[in-house]
Amino acid sequence: MFFLIAVALPTPTPPSLRAAADRAGILIGAAVRPEQLSEAAYASTLAREFNMVEPEDALKWEVVHPAALSFDFSQGDKMVDFAMTHKMKIRGHTLVWHQQNPKWLTEGKYTSGELAEILERHIKSVVGHYRGKIFAWDVVNEAFDELRPGQLRSTMWRNQPGIGLGEAGTAYVERCFRWAHEADPQALLFYNEAEAEVMNPKSDAIYAMVRDFRQRGVPIDGVGFQMHIANLHPDVASVSANIKRFTVLGVQVHITEMDVALPVDPNGNARPEDLQLQADIYREIANACLSHPGCAAIQTWGFTDKYSWIGSHSKHTQGAALPFDRDYRPKPAYAALRNALGSGRR
Ligand code: XIL
Protein backbone atom coordinates (compact mmCIF):
# COMPACT_ATOMS: atom_id res chain seq x y z
CA MET A 1 0.00 0.00 0.00
CA PHE A 2 1.43 3.30 -1.01
CA PHE A 3 0.52 6.63 0.45
CA LEU A 4 1.20 9.85 -1.28
CA ILE A 5 2.28 12.40 1.22
CA ALA A 6 2.37 16.02 0.21
CA VAL A 7 5.46 17.64 1.57
CA ALA A 8 6.16 21.32 1.28
CA LEU A 9 9.50 21.28 -0.46
CA PRO A 10 11.50 24.48 -0.28
CA THR A 11 11.66 26.22 -3.64
CA PRO A 12 14.99 25.11 -5.08
CA THR A 13 17.48 27.93 -5.06
CA PRO A 14 18.96 28.23 -8.52
CA PRO A 15 22.73 28.23 -8.64
CA SER A 16 24.47 31.54 -8.21
CA LEU A 17 26.31 33.27 -11.05
CA ARG A 18 29.46 32.08 -9.34
CA ALA A 19 28.42 28.40 -9.32
CA ALA A 20 27.36 28.61 -12.97
CA ALA A 21 30.61 30.35 -13.94
CA ASP A 22 32.73 27.82 -12.04
CA ARG A 23 31.06 25.04 -13.97
CA ALA A 24 31.50 26.86 -17.27
CA GLY A 25 35.19 27.49 -16.51
CA ILE A 26 34.96 31.26 -16.72
CA LEU A 27 35.57 34.08 -14.27
CA ILE A 28 32.64 36.24 -13.23
CA GLY A 29 33.76 39.42 -11.53
CA ALA A 30 32.56 42.70 -10.11
CA ALA A 31 34.25 46.02 -9.43
CA VAL A 32 34.30 46.67 -5.71
CA ARG A 33 34.22 49.70 -3.42
CA PRO A 34 36.07 48.46 -0.33
CA GLU A 35 34.27 50.94 1.94
CA GLN A 36 31.02 49.05 1.30
CA LEU A 37 32.37 45.67 2.39
CA SER A 38 31.12 46.36 5.92
CA GLU A 39 27.53 46.39 4.58
CA ALA A 40 26.19 42.87 5.12
CA ALA A 41 24.04 42.66 1.98
CA TYR A 42 26.87 44.04 -0.16
CA ALA A 43 29.44 41.58 1.19
CA SER A 44 27.19 38.52 1.13
CA THR A 45 25.93 39.16 -2.41
CA LEU A 46 29.45 39.73 -3.67
CA ALA A 47 30.86 36.58 -2.09
CA ARG A 48 27.92 34.43 -3.17
CA GLU A 49 27.67 35.57 -6.78
CA PHE A 50 31.20 36.31 -7.98
CA ASN A 51 34.51 34.48 -8.15
CA MET A 52 36.57 37.56 -8.99
CA VAL A 53 36.85 41.17 -7.81
CA GLU A 54 38.60 44.31 -8.98
CA PRO A 55 38.88 47.60 -7.08
CA GLU A 56 36.73 50.25 -8.78
CA ASP A 57 38.93 53.11 -7.58
CA ALA A 58 41.06 51.83 -4.69
CA LEU A 59 44.22 51.18 -6.70
CA LYS A 60 44.14 54.31 -8.82
CA TRP A 61 46.98 56.75 -8.31
CA GLU A 62 44.98 59.34 -6.37
CA VAL A 63 44.09 56.72 -3.76
CA VAL A 64 47.15 54.50 -3.62
CA HIS A 65 49.86 57.14 -4.17
CA PRO A 66 48.48 60.24 -2.38
CA ALA A 67 51.84 61.97 -1.90
CA ALA A 68 55.10 61.75 -3.80
CA LEU A 69 56.82 59.64 -1.20
CA SER A 70 53.95 57.65 0.27
CA PHE A 71 51.69 54.83 -0.75
CA ASP A 72 48.36 53.98 0.89
CA PHE A 73 47.39 50.37 0.35
CA SER A 74 44.75 50.27 3.09
CA GLN A 75 41.67 50.14 0.84
CA GLY A 76 43.26 47.78 -1.65
CA ASP A 77 44.41 45.49 1.17
CA LYS A 78 40.89 45.40 2.61
CA MET A 79 39.54 44.18 -0.71
CA VAL A 80 42.35 41.67 -1.15
CA ASP A 81 41.70 40.22 2.34
CA PHE A 82 38.00 39.86 1.51
CA ALA A 83 38.76 38.18 -1.79
CA MET A 84 41.24 35.77 -0.25
CA THR A 85 38.80 34.86 2.55
CA HIS A 86 36.17 34.07 -0.07
CA LYS A 87 38.56 32.40 -2.52
CA MET A 88 38.03 34.96 -5.25
CA LYS A 89 40.54 35.95 -7.91
CA ILE A 90 41.70 39.57 -7.93
CA ARG A 91 42.27 41.84 -10.94
CA GLY A 92 44.26 45.04 -10.47
CA HIS A 93 43.15 48.35 -11.99
CA THR A 94 45.00 50.47 -13.12
CA LEU A 95 48.68 51.42 -13.24
CA VAL A 96 48.82 54.00 -16.03
CA TRP A 97 45.89 56.28 -16.90
CA HIS A 98 45.34 59.96 -17.68
CA GLN A 99 42.56 60.29 -15.07
CA GLN A 100 42.30 60.15 -11.28
CA ASN A 101 45.90 61.16 -10.82
CA PRO A 102 46.88 63.15 -7.69
CA LYS A 103 47.63 66.87 -7.86
CA TRP A 104 51.21 66.44 -6.62
CA LEU A 105 51.78 64.49 -9.85
CA THR A 106 49.77 66.45 -12.40
CA GLU A 107 50.87 69.84 -11.12
CA GLY A 108 54.40 68.80 -10.22
CA LYS A 109 56.13 70.19 -13.35
CA TYR A 110 58.36 67.13 -13.59
CA THR A 111 60.77 66.56 -16.45
CA SER A 112 60.40 63.48 -18.65
CA GLY A 113 63.32 61.85 -16.87
CA GLU A 114 61.74 62.46 -13.48
CA LEU A 115 58.35 61.21 -14.67
CA ALA A 116 59.91 58.03 -15.99
CA GLU A 117 61.46 57.39 -12.57
CA ILE A 118 58.21 58.18 -10.77
CA LEU A 119 56.21 55.88 -13.04
CA GLU A 120 58.68 53.02 -12.80
CA ARG A 121 58.69 53.29 -9.00
CA HIS A 122 54.88 53.44 -8.91
CA ILE A 123 54.39 50.39 -11.11
CA LYS A 124 57.02 48.35 -9.31
CA SER A 125 55.77 49.33 -5.83
CA VAL A 126 52.10 48.65 -6.50
CA VAL A 127 52.59 45.44 -8.49
CA GLY A 128 55.26 44.34 -6.00
CA HIS A 129 52.96 44.94 -3.02
CA TYR A 130 50.36 42.59 -4.50
CA ARG A 131 52.76 40.12 -6.08
CA GLY A 132 51.26 36.64 -5.95
CA LYS A 133 47.84 38.02 -4.94
CA ILE A 134 46.66 40.04 -7.91
CA PHE A 135 46.67 37.60 -10.80
CA ALA A 136 45.98 40.11 -13.61
CA TRP A 137 46.68 43.82 -14.03
CA ASP A 138 45.27 46.50 -16.26
CA VAL A 139 48.72 47.95 -16.89
CA VAL A 140 47.68 50.76 -19.23
CA ASN A 141 44.14 52.10 -19.50
CA GLU A 142 42.66 54.06 -22.41
CA ALA A 143 45.85 55.05 -24.24
CA PHE A 144 44.01 55.61 -27.52
CA ASP A 145 42.08 58.77 -28.33
CA GLU A 146 38.30 59.09 -28.76
CA LEU A 147 38.37 62.02 -31.14
CA ARG A 148 41.24 61.04 -33.42
CA PRO A 149 40.41 57.44 -34.39
CA GLY A 150 43.35 55.09 -34.10
CA GLN A 151 45.70 57.75 -32.70
CA LEU A 152 47.38 57.60 -29.32
CA ARG A 153 46.00 60.03 -26.77
CA SER A 154 48.17 62.95 -25.69
CA THR A 155 48.82 62.51 -21.98
CA MET A 156 51.36 63.29 -19.31
CA TRP A 157 52.70 59.75 -19.74
CA ARG A 158 53.06 59.82 -23.50
CA ASN A 159 54.02 63.34 -24.58
CA GLN A 160 52.94 66.03 -22.06
CA PRO A 161 55.80 65.90 -21.28
CA GLY A 162 55.81 62.07 -21.34
CA ILE A 163 58.37 59.62 -20.01
CA GLY A 164 60.72 60.29 -22.91
CA LEU A 165 59.25 58.01 -25.57
CA GLY A 166 56.53 60.28 -26.92
CA GLU A 167 57.72 60.22 -30.52
CA ALA A 168 58.04 56.47 -30.59
CA GLY A 169 54.41 55.40 -30.94
CA THR A 170 53.45 52.76 -28.42
CA ALA A 171 56.97 52.51 -26.95
CA TYR A 172 55.85 54.13 -23.72
CA VAL A 173 53.10 51.52 -23.35
CA GLU A 174 55.66 48.79 -23.95
CA ARG A 175 57.94 50.24 -21.27
CA CYS A 176 55.10 50.08 -18.72
CA PHE A 177 54.40 46.42 -19.51
CA ARG A 178 58.08 45.59 -19.11
CA TRP A 179 58.25 47.31 -15.70
CA ALA A 180 55.11 45.49 -14.52
CA HIS A 181 56.51 42.16 -15.70
CA GLU A 182 59.74 42.74 -13.78
CA ALA A 183 57.73 43.39 -10.62
CA ASP A 184 55.63 40.20 -10.92
CA PRO A 185 56.63 37.83 -13.70
CA GLN A 186 53.62 35.58 -12.93
CA ALA A 187 50.93 38.26 -13.24
CA LEU A 188 48.90 38.43 -16.44
CA LEU A 189 49.28 41.86 -17.99
CA PHE A 190 46.38 43.52 -19.79
CA TYR A 191 45.82 46.53 -21.96
CA ASN A 192 42.33 47.89 -21.08
CA GLU A 193 40.27 50.15 -23.32
CA ALA A 194 36.88 51.84 -23.78
CA GLU A 195 34.85 52.03 -26.97
CA ALA A 196 37.01 49.45 -28.69
CA GLU A 197 34.69 46.50 -28.09
CA VAL A 198 33.53 46.39 -31.70
CA MET A 199 35.60 46.40 -34.87
CA ASN A 200 36.49 50.05 -35.34
CA PRO A 201 39.56 52.25 -35.89
CA LYS A 202 40.39 52.22 -32.18
CA SER A 203 40.25 48.44 -31.85
CA ASP A 204 42.21 48.16 -35.13
CA ALA A 205 44.98 50.28 -33.60
CA ILE A 206 44.98 48.19 -30.41
CA TYR A 207 45.08 45.03 -32.49
CA ALA A 208 48.13 46.33 -34.37
CA MET A 209 49.85 47.21 -31.07
CA VAL A 210 49.14 43.84 -29.49
CA ARG A 211 50.26 41.94 -32.59
CA ASP A 212 53.49 43.92 -32.63
CA PHE A 213 54.04 43.32 -28.89
CA ARG A 214 53.46 39.58 -29.25
CA GLN A 215 55.80 39.36 -32.25
CA ARG A 216 58.58 41.12 -30.35
CA GLY A 217 58.04 39.29 -27.03
CA VAL A 218 56.73 42.26 -25.08
CA PRO A 219 55.00 40.74 -22.03
CA ILE A 220 51.31 41.26 -22.77
CA ASP A 221 48.77 38.57 -21.91
CA GLY A 222 45.42 40.11 -22.57
CA VAL A 223 43.11 42.87 -23.65
CA GLY A 224 40.32 44.26 -21.50
CA PHE A 225 37.09 45.26 -23.23
CA GLN A 226 35.46 47.72 -20.84
CA MET A 227 31.92 47.24 -22.24
CA HIS A 228 30.16 50.29 -20.83
CA ILE A 229 27.02 50.08 -22.97
CA ALA A 230 24.48 52.86 -23.33
CA ASN A 231 23.07 51.98 -26.75
CA LEU A 232 20.35 49.37 -26.36
CA HIS A 233 21.11 47.78 -29.73
CA PRO A 234 24.85 47.05 -29.64
CA ASP A 235 26.49 45.22 -32.53
CA VAL A 236 27.21 41.95 -30.71
CA ALA A 237 28.38 40.18 -33.87
CA SER A 238 31.10 42.79 -34.19
CA VAL A 239 32.05 42.36 -30.51
CA SER A 240 32.32 38.63 -31.12
CA ALA A 241 34.49 39.07 -34.22
CA ASN A 242 36.70 41.45 -32.27
CA ILE A 243 37.09 39.02 -29.35
CA LYS A 244 37.99 36.35 -31.87
CA ARG A 245 40.74 38.29 -33.62
CA PHE A 246 42.47 39.10 -30.33
CA THR A 247 42.28 35.53 -29.02
CA VAL A 248 43.70 34.30 -32.32
CA LEU A 249 46.77 36.42 -31.55
CA GLY A 250 47.20 34.30 -28.41
CA VAL A 251 46.09 36.86 -25.83
CA GLN A 252 43.12 36.53 -23.51
CA VAL A 253 40.14 38.82 -23.58
CA HIS A 254 38.49 39.91 -20.34
CA ILE A 255 35.25 41.87 -20.33
CA THR A 256 36.28 44.22 -17.57
CA GLU A 257 33.70 46.90 -16.83
CA MET A 258 30.33 45.86 -18.18
CA ASP A 259 27.23 47.86 -17.42
CA VAL A 260 24.19 48.74 -19.54
CA ALA A 261 22.97 52.23 -18.71
CA LEU A 262 19.23 52.83 -19.09
CA PRO A 263 17.28 56.06 -19.21
CA VAL A 264 15.78 56.60 -15.75
CA ASP A 265 13.08 58.82 -14.25
CA PRO A 266 13.93 61.26 -11.42
CA ASN A 267 13.48 58.41 -8.92
CA GLY A 268 16.11 56.36 -10.71
CA ASN A 269 13.63 53.87 -12.16
CA ALA A 270 13.95 52.41 -15.66
CA ARG A 271 11.10 51.26 -17.91
CA PRO A 272 10.24 47.54 -17.66
CA GLU A 273 10.73 47.07 -21.41
CA ASP A 274 14.22 48.55 -21.14
CA LEU A 275 15.05 46.13 -18.33
CA GLN A 276 14.21 43.31 -20.75
CA LEU A 277 16.37 44.79 -23.50
CA GLN A 278 19.14 45.16 -20.94
CA ALA A 279 18.77 41.49 -20.02
CA ASP A 280 19.10 40.53 -23.69
CA ILE A 281 22.32 42.53 -23.94
CA TYR A 282 23.85 40.89 -20.87
CA ARG A 283 22.92 37.48 -22.28
CA GLU A 284 24.28 38.18 -25.75
CA ILE A 285 27.57 39.63 -24.52
CA ALA A 286 28.03 36.71 -22.12
CA ASN A 287 27.32 34.29 -24.98
CA ALA A 288 29.82 36.09 -27.21
CA CYS A 289 32.49 35.68 -24.54
CA LEU A 290 31.58 32.07 -23.80
CA SER A 291 31.85 31.17 -27.48
CA HIS A 292 35.58 32.02 -27.60
CA PRO A 293 37.83 29.84 -25.42
CA GLY A 294 40.26 32.75 -24.97
CA CYS A 295 37.58 35.00 -23.46
CA ALA A 296 38.29 34.16 -19.86
CA ALA A 297 36.35 36.64 -17.72
CA ILE A 298 33.15 38.65 -17.61
CA GLN A 299 33.12 41.43 -15.06
CA THR A 300 30.50 44.06 -14.25
CA TRP A 301 31.35 47.57 -13.05
CA GLY A 302 29.85 47.18 -9.60
CA PHE A 303 26.94 44.78 -9.18
CA THR A 304 24.15 46.70 -7.46
CA ASP A 305 22.39 49.79 -8.80
CA LYS A 306 22.85 51.20 -5.30
CA TYR A 307 26.49 51.88 -6.11
CA SER A 308 27.13 52.56 -9.76
CA TRP A 309 29.15 55.30 -11.40
CA ILE A 310 26.50 55.71 -14.14
CA GLY A 311 24.26 57.95 -12.02
CA SER A 312 26.78 60.70 -11.32
CA HIS A 313 28.49 60.19 -14.67
CA SER A 314 25.22 60.90 -16.57
CA LYS A 315 23.96 63.61 -14.18
CA HIS A 316 21.31 61.10 -13.06
CA THR A 317 19.61 60.82 -16.47
CA GLN A 318 20.78 57.21 -16.74
CA GLY A 319 21.18 54.38 -14.28
CA ALA A 320 19.82 50.95 -13.39
CA ALA A 321 22.84 49.57 -15.26
CA LEU A 322 23.75 46.51 -13.19
CA PRO A 323 22.31 43.01 -12.57
CA PHE A 324 21.08 43.75 -9.01
CA ASP A 325 18.71 46.56 -8.07
CA ARG A 326 19.28 49.02 -5.24
CA ASP A 327 17.92 46.50 -2.72
CA TYR A 328 20.16 43.69 -3.99
CA ARG A 329 17.23 41.99 -5.74
CA PRO A 330 18.20 40.23 -8.97
CA LYS A 331 16.91 41.95 -12.11
CA PRO A 332 16.06 40.35 -15.48
CA ALA A 333 19.72 40.97 -16.41
CA TYR A 334 20.77 38.70 -13.56
CA ALA A 335 18.65 35.80 -14.78
CA ALA A 336 19.86 36.32 -18.33
CA LEU A 337 23.49 36.28 -17.26
CA ARG A 338 23.00 33.22 -15.11
CA ASN A 339 21.22 31.34 -17.88
CA ALA A 340 24.02 32.16 -20.31
CA LEU A 341 26.66 30.99 -17.85
CA GLY A 342 24.53 27.96 -17.03
CA SER A 343 24.61 26.86 -20.67
CA GLY A 344 28.39 26.86 -20.49
CA ARG A 345 30.95 27.21 -23.26
CA ARG A 346 29.72 26.53 -26.74
C1 XIL B 1 35.12 55.21 -12.70
C2 XIL B 1 34.63 54.82 -11.32
O1 XIL B 1 33.60 53.89 -11.45
C3 XIL B 1 34.16 56.02 -10.55
O2 XIL B 1 33.90 55.67 -9.19
C4 XIL B 1 35.18 57.14 -10.61
O3 XIL B 1 34.66 58.29 -10.02
C5 XIL B 1 35.57 57.44 -12.05
O4 XIL B 1 36.05 56.26 -12.65
N1 XIL B 1 36.71 53.51 -17.27
C6 XIL B 1 37.56 53.01 -16.31
C7 XIL B 1 37.18 53.09 -14.88
O5 XIL B 1 38.57 52.40 -16.65
O6 XIL B 1 38.28 53.22 -14.04
C8 XIL B 1 36.20 54.20 -14.62
O7 XIL B 1 35.76 54.08 -13.27
C9 XIL B 1 35.03 54.12 -15.59
C10 XIL B 1 35.51 54.26 -17.01
Side-chain angles (χ1 to χ4, degrees):
M1 174 69 87
F2 295 97
F3 294 96
L4 286 177
I5 304 172
V7 216
L9 289 170
T11 332
T13 340
S16 59
L17 296 180
R18 178 175 188 161
D22 284 345
R23 270 201 293 274
I26 194 165
L27 293 166
I28 179 82
V32 169
R33 302 185 173 185
E35 65 275 21
Q36 308 306 340
L37 288 170
S38 53
E39 186 184 331
Y42 185 95
S44 62
T45 307
L46 182 64
R48 185 183 69 237
E49 300 289 343
F50 298 92
N51 57 22
M52 179 171 81
V53 288
E54 170 169 319
E56 186 167 341
D57 292 298
L59 293 181
K60 291 173 180 171
W61 274 75
E62 66 179 8
V63 181
V64 84
H65 203 159
L69 297 177
S70 66
F71 288 90
D72 179 356
F73 293 112
S74 55
Q75 284 201 52
D77 289 358
K78 200 191 277 183
M79 193 207 63
V80 166
D81 288 347
F82 181 90
M84 292 178 70
T85 303
H86 296 285
K87 301 194 166 37
M88 305 162 98
K89 297 266 226 175
I90 310 159
R91 288 189 99 258
H93 174 80
T94 176
L95 300 167
V96 187
W97 196 25
H98 60 286
Q99 289 186 28
Q100 291 180 271
N101 289 318
K103 281 217 165 66
W104 69 262
L105 177 70
T106 54
E107 294 173 5
K109 307 258 186 298
Y110 295 106
T111 64
S112 290
E114 288 165 340
L115 272 182
E117 274 175 37
I118 291 170
L119 183 55
E120 178 176 3
R121 186 155 34 84
H122 177 89
I123 290 175
K124 291 188 173 171
S125 302
V126 178
V127 175
H129 183 83
Y130 292 110
R131 185 180 168 127
K133 294 182 175 162
I134 288 190
F135 85 107
W137 274 103
D138 287 339
V139 179
V140 178
N141 195 31
E142 301 179 355
F144 287 90
D145 210 77
E146 272 93 51
L147 304 175
R148 298 174 307 136
Q151 303 294 304
L152 284 164
R153 187 191 296 278
S154 291
T155 70
M156 62 177 294
W157 301 123
R158 181 168 81 93
N159 57 355
Q160 294 180 344
I163 59 169
L165 300 165
E167 299 312 311
T170 57
Y172 92 95
V173 177
E174 171 177 347
R175 181 65 52 85
C176 298
F177 276 80
R178 292 194 186 280
W179 283 330
H181 185 67
E182 282 174 43
D184 185 353
Q186 304 301 320
L188 300 177
L189 304 182
F190 278 68
Y191 175 77
N192 194 51
E193 186 59 89
E195 291 162 22
E197 294 84 0
V198 293
M199 306 290 251
N200 63 21
K202 200 195 259 194
S203 61
D204 290 349
I206 297 165
Y207 180 79
M209 175 180 79
V210 173
R211 190 180 50 194
D212 166 52
F213 283 7
R214 296 290 291 181
Q215 279 168 354
R216 292 188 297 108
V218 179
I220 185 167
D221 303 286
V223 175
F225 287 22
Q226 291 189 6
M227 208 66 74
H228 294 290
I229 296 177
N231 150 25
L232 293 182
H233 300 280
D235 186 348
V236 180
S238 186
V239 171
S240 186
N242 200 25
I243 293 175
K244 182 170 182 186
R245 68 168 166 171
F246 279 103
T247 60
V248 166
L249 283 180
V251 295
Q252 295 187 12
V253 170
H254 285 181
I255 291 169
T256 51
E257 307 186 9
M258 184 164 179
D259 48 25
V260 180
L262 300 179
V264 289
D265 66 20
N267 298 319
N269 295 317
R271 287 187 292 264
E273 59 269 32
D274 285 351
L275 292 171
Q276 290 303 329
L277 280 176
Q278 177 182 60
D280 294 342
I281 296 170
Y282 272 98
R283 177 191 308 103
E284 288 171 16
I285 296 293
N287 282 339
C289 183
L290 284 158
S291 68
H292 300 289
C295 188
I298 302 171
Q299 178 168 259
T300 53
W301 204 236
F303 56 99
T304 163
D305 292 337
K306 186 171 183 182
Y307 306 112
S308 161
W309 76 304
I310 294 297
S312 56
H313 183 66
S314 69
K315 303 203 169 57
H316 302 282
T317 60
Q318 294 184 315
L322 291 165
F324 290 89
D325 74 9
R326 281 165 293 180
D327 299 314
Y328 298 95
R329 283 182 305 232
K331 295 161 59 184
Y334 172 86
L337 200 47
R338 197 187 52 211
N339 290 343
L341 293 168
S343 317
R345 297 269 186 194
R346 51 222 71 177

